[in-house]
Amino acid sequence: MGSMSIWHWIIVLGVVLLLFGRGKISEMMGDVAQGIKAFKKGMAEDDTAKAEPVKPAEPVKTIDHQPTTAPSQSVQQPQAETHKAG
């Protein structure tokens, strides 16, 4: 029960081929390759996004503080309407 000989590997390979078939194994390997390509593409897009600084669409708008009306000028406040229930 030491190391596995070439005959052990041939038998294991034969069983795998019988269970999965040639078509399924090559299809699985193709899917794995597509996954690796998609992963690399995603990583490359992340790197380019970090390299370019994000610019705001519009400049930041500020509002300057202006003093309210002078105390001598009166500002009319709307009066609240009261309703009687009854």
Side-chain angles (χ1 to χ4, degrees):
M1 291 232 116
S3 64
M4 297 190 104
S5 68
I6 187 74
W7 292 108
H8 290 112
W9 288 112
I10 291 173
I11 292 172
V12 169
L13 182 64
V15 170
V16 169
L17 285 175
L18 285 174
L19 290 176
F20 295 108
R22 268 184 44 199
K24 289 185 181 179
I25 292 175
S26 63
E27 186 177 312
M28 276 193 313
M29 293 309 291
D31 291 343
V32 169
Q34 287 179 349
I36 291 171
K37 287 179 185 178
F39 178 76
K40 286 182 179 180
K41 181 179 178 184
M43 292 300 291
E45 288 175 357
D46 287 345
D47 291 341
T48 57
K50 289 180 183 177
E52 298 173 4
V54 178
K55 296 179 183 178
E58 295 180 10
V60 178
K61 296 180 181 178
T62 59
I63 299 174
D64 293 332
H65 176 71
Q66 296 180 1
T68 58
T69 58
S72 62
Q73 298 174 348
S74 64
V75 177
Q76 291 183 340
Q77 298 289 332
Q79 304 229 349
E81 296 179 20
T82 57
H83 297 283
K84 291 183 181 180

